Amino acid sequence: PPTGVPPPQPGTPGLHLGHYPSLPPGYQNTGYQNASAPHNATSPMHPAITGWPSMLPSLAAMSLQSTTPEALRVVNLLQERNLLPPTPIPAPTPCLQQDLQKINCHPEVFRSTLTSIPQTQSLLNKAKMPLGLLLHPFKDLSQLPVVTSSTIVRCRSCRTYINPFVSFLDQRRWKCNLCFRVNDVPEEFMYNPVSRSYGEPHKRPEVQNATIEFIAPSEYMLRPPQPAVYLFILDVSHNAVETGYLTVFCQSLLDNINALPGDSRTKVGFITFDSTIHFYNLQEGLSQPQMLIVSDIEDIFLPTPDSLLVNLNECKELVQDLLKSLPTLFEKTMETQSALGSALQAAYKLLLPTGGRMSIFQTQLPNLGVGTLHVHLSPATDFYKKLALDCSGQQVAVDLFLLSSQYCDLASLGCISRYSAGSVYYYPSYHHQHTPAQVECFQKDLKRYLTRKIGFEAVMRIRCTKGLSIHTFHGNFFVRSTDLLSLPNVNPDAGFAVQMSIEENLDDMQVVSFQAALLYTSSKGERRIRVHTLCLPVVNSLSDIFAGADVQAITGLLACMAVDRSATASLSDARDAMTNAAIDSLTSYRQSVLTIQQPGLLAPACLRLFPLFILALLKQKAFRTGTSTRLDDRLFAMCQLKYQPLVYAMLMIHPALYRVDDLSDEGALNISERTVPQPRVLQLSVEKLSREAAFLMDAGTVMYLWIGRNCHPNFLTQVLGVPSYATYLLPELDTPESQRTRAFVGWLRDQRPFFPSLQVIRDESQLKPTFMQNMIEDRTESALSYYEFLLHLQQQISK
């Protein structure tokens, strides 16, 4: 995606998009499953063991400035109009010795706002930039080294997993890179199954890979690993039936039922609700599913749980029969009430013994029984938060699908997912006939949701080198202790952020490390640990800190902080805090780093996009002012900013704009025999649009194809298949222009796990205002243009 890691170019070294070149032959048969590692095991990854202790201090002599002059090039923002690079912005590379850099964690998995860590908290305070980590811990990786070993080597003191950044004092001892304790190398770790040689512990996969997964032995289990359990809770009120979502849901589950992650123990169950709760007996031996109605919603009576949560393999035909009959079962209902709270209590009781995943489909404000809601700005009741914490304690995560044409109080309902490590999906004004783009999006999201990898009963712990500490987490989870997050379910599309502080001076350190360890149960019932380790240099000058600033990571962390700030304080507080972040860092740069004072608004090249991204955040649905933003839309945008991994969140903050009516093969990529054009990224300003052209805007979860009023008839007929542009679809035409356009849109879609819908916008389209609101550099009735915003920053800085 435009703000992510660029696609691999032929002959480019380094790791891209989670792909690891494979290990030499013979690796698989050595007790390491489907293992593969970033480097050929025979490459000179580390110097001889004796060279290790002397290697790290040599880093100190490397001047960061001499290697990154471009990052510190002075830019006068008031004079440089075209700041956006024509191609996606890569993550900055930490200034490390090449051996360490080559092996470091991939930035799409683990990334720091500052790639050079200040020696002291006072130096960090002086830089006026946030220090934090952004994580995508369970990201789909095409090849992941997996280790099966009875001994998982960890530090005896701080429990850090052995990793590429530890140092071997000799063959028998290694020094922890987090607490510096010296540990013994266990006897079995001396044998290296890759080289089939003895006495080379530094060449083991655990010490060659910054991302690795262990199959955990029994001491990592508090109880037998839980089975995959899926419980679906469906709104069947009149409102729900009118939207037509039930037909789409049932068909999607029928189509994907064999692809649900799991094994022979997988269980499923269904609850439907309106003013009463309906259970379904799917026990083996029945000729058809039985519906059981419970009308006393105040004190839910649970029929025999074993008949409601059934083994999928044994009862698949009954489950399929139920899915075929559900849409017609309620088609004539006149029931308008929604007892969601009671349905959730019933579902919680049902999942109590096992844990699992609860999937709720809801189309209106709950208006009956416990958890009834009215129109409010902040959570109106703590019912949903309390229930979420109970669920978390029993290893149950709750995912929420909202398909609502009216206000549904996402502030309250969202708590059920937030604190149980679930996800929220939102389809405003969903209707099976009137909103075809929403229906397509719901279908694609459901398919991904039902079939993507899932980890059950998970916990994640983040450790860091002594002297550093974690003080705030952002994302969907429950914090069990200072550094331990409870994640009843973990999925590959969830991101997390952490704010850090420096508690003790890091004077005598050349590098520091961060390690995230995710312990989970796979859908096949295996206990596994995925470990990511990131190593960064320590610096003692402000210019080096600025040179290592990662502008996208800083923006992503500030967005998470602003979401939480709006909840605890107010929206205007959050907006002020973001603007002040830009003012403070540029003031610090001007006063403490610049040697020659000159007029203008000055920034180092690495932060030249910072004011633009801050303005983009202020205009984002989550934070913009004015009355045009519906409350649920705002809250959903906040959910997404906190939950999406950075690479997708950045597209929501600052969409990518491309001209697409003149796509050519010049500079195109060749990907699996498809030629993918690479148009340049354009500034988000109306002055870049032309009535004679067509433009594609990629805003992450949605794409807009804007057709100029006088667009060339050739584009309309060759790409849209019509002489006038009354179409809303991108048909498959056998023309070079159509193939190029579809190849480019398809390539953008392929780079993310969810499916962005494509909406065609004409001059008179209702969506035109939405498209124009993303023109961040232009003035709107309630917000400054980019140039005006820069003048405002300059005024504040020169006060």
Side-chain angles (χ1 to χ4, degrees), residues 525-543:
E526 277 184 323
R527 209 66 179 128
R528 289 181 165 227
I529 309 153
R530 188 174 294 191
V531 179
H532 307 285
T533 314
L534 173 69
C535 177
L536 296 174
V538 174
V539 298
N540 60 8
S541 81
L542 269 178
S543 54

Side-chain angles (χ1 to χ4, degrees), residues 170-186:
D170 51 44
Q171 285 201 353
R172 292 286 174 184
R173 294 176 306 152
W174 63 279
K175 188 176 182 180
C176 175
N177 52 326
L178 267 63
C179 74
F180 313 119
R181 180 189 172 120
V182 175
N183 294 273
D184 294 333
V185 175

Side-chain angles (χ1 to χ4, degrees), residues 470-533:
I470 293 163
H471 64 81
T472 315
F473 292 99
H474 303 277
N476 290 5
F477 47 75
F478 173 62
V479 182
R480 207 182 281 176
S481 66
T482 49
D483 62 350
L484 188 72
L485 303 185
S486 169
L487 306 167
N489 290 180
V490 63
N491 74 70
D493 304 333
F496 301 88
V498 210
Q499 283 169 253
M500 311 281 305
S501 52
I502 302 167
E503 291 203 319
E504 295 169 28
N505 292 357
L506 310 171
D507 296 348
D508 49 352
M509 293 178 212
Q510 314 303 329
V511 293
V512 288
S513 299
F514 306 91
Q515 189 175 80
L518 179 73
L519 173 65
Y520 71 96
T521 299
S522 76
S523 54
K524 300 273 191 279
E526 277 184 323
R527 209 66 179 128
R528 289 181 165 227
I529 309 153
R530 188 174 294 191
V531 179
H532 307 285
T533 314

Side-chain angles (χ1 to χ4, degrees), residues 291-597:
M291 182 178 177
L292 312 159
I293 300 175
V294 174
S295 50
D296 180 5
I297 61 167
E298 293 304 320
D299 184 21
I300 292 283
F301 164 73
L302 210 55
T304 340
D306 287 350
S307 62
L308 308 181
L309 261 186
V310 295
N311 183 295
L312 179 58
N313 290 3
E314 292 165 7
C315 309
K316 191 173 286 176
E317 282 181 22
L318 279 175
V319 170
Q320 289 168 323
D321 290 347
L322 175 65
L323 291 170
K324 286 170 191 164
S325 63
L326 261 182
T328 52
L329 215 51
F330 299 95
E331 61 189 357
K332 295 195 167 48
T333 183
M334 286 289 118
E335 187 62 77
T336 56
Q337 291 183 300
S338 164
L340 172 67
S342 305
L344 285 172
Q345 286 181 327
Y348 171 67
K349 283 183 182 174
L350 200 50
L351 289 180
L352 206 55
T354 56
R357 182 175 78 187
M358 218 188 268
S359 310
I360 304 164
F361 294 80
Q362 169 74 357
T363 69
Q364 62 180 357
L365 207 58
N367 55 13
L368 189 68
V370 291
T372 296
L373 293 173
H374 310 283
V375 179
H376 284 286
L377 275 162
S378 53
T381 164
D382 61 1
F383 170 79
Y384 295 98
K385 180 176 178 181
K386 274 186 173 158
L387 187 62
L389 296 178
D390 289 344
C391 284
S392 178
Q394 300 301 325
Q395 303 297 350
V396 174
V398 186
D399 297 322
L400 182 60
F401 289 79
L402 281 175
L403 308 106
S404 178
S405 55
Q406 60 228 26
Y407 171 74
C408 56
D409 194 356
L410 198 45
S412 300
L413 288 182
C415 292
I416 188 90
S417 300
R418 181 177 164 192
Y419 295 104
S420 68
S423 343
V424 176
Y425 296 82
Y426 176 55
Y427 309 90
S429 310
Y430 180 93
H431 192 276
H432 66 113
Q433 283 172 322
H434 308 324
T435 58
Q438 290 269 42
V439 174
E440 183 186 28
C441 206
F442 179 50
Q443 281 170 322
K444 302 277 192 197
D445 285 351
L446 257 183
K447 180 178 181 180
R448 167 76 182 163
Y449 174 75
L450 294 169
T451 59
R452 72 186 177 189
K453 216 178 134 152
I454 184 170
F456 294 98
E457 47 186 352
V459 288
M460 181 164 73
R461 196 182 291 274
I462 299 174
R463 297 179 170 91
C464 45
T465 295
K466 193 170 173 246
L468 293 163
S469 71
I470 293 163
H471 64 81
T472 315
F473 292 99
H474 303 277
N476 290 5
F477 47 75
F478 173 62
V479 182
R480 207 182 281 176
S481 66
T482 49
D483 62 350
L484 188 72
L485 303 185
S486 169
L487 306 167
N489 290 180
V490 63
N491 74 70
D493 304 333
F496 301 88
V498 210
Q499 283 169 253
M500 311 281 305
S501 52
I502 302 167
E503 291 203 319
E504 295 169 28
N505 292 357
L506 310 171
D507 296 348
D508 49 352
M509 293 178 212
Q510 314 303 329
V511 293
V512 288
S513 299
F514 306 91
Q515 189 175 80
L518 179 73
L519 173 65
Y520 71 96
T521 299
S522 76
S523 54
K524 300 273 191 279
E526 277 184 323
R527 209 66 179 128
R528 289 181 165 227
I529 309 153
R530 188 174 294 191
V531 179
H532 307 285
T533 314
L534 173 69
C535 177
L536 296 174
V538 174
V539 298
N540 60 8
S541 81
L542 269 178
S543 54
D544 285 347
I545 297 169
F546 274 93
D550 182 337
V551 70
Q552 295 173 89
I554 290 171
T555 306
L557 181 63
L558 286 174
C560 291
M561 290 161 68
V563 169
D564 285 350
R565 184 78 170 258
S566 336
T568 54
S570 69
L571 189 64
S572 65
D573 264 17
R575 288 174 56 86
D576 289 347
M578 288 189 284
T579 308
N580 289 336
I583 293 167
D584 291 347
S585 59
L586 293 182
T587 303
S588 167
Y589 171 73
R590 186 175 191 111
Q591 291 173 352
S592 310
V593 179
L594 273 183
T595 45
I596 302 165
Q597 292 303 322

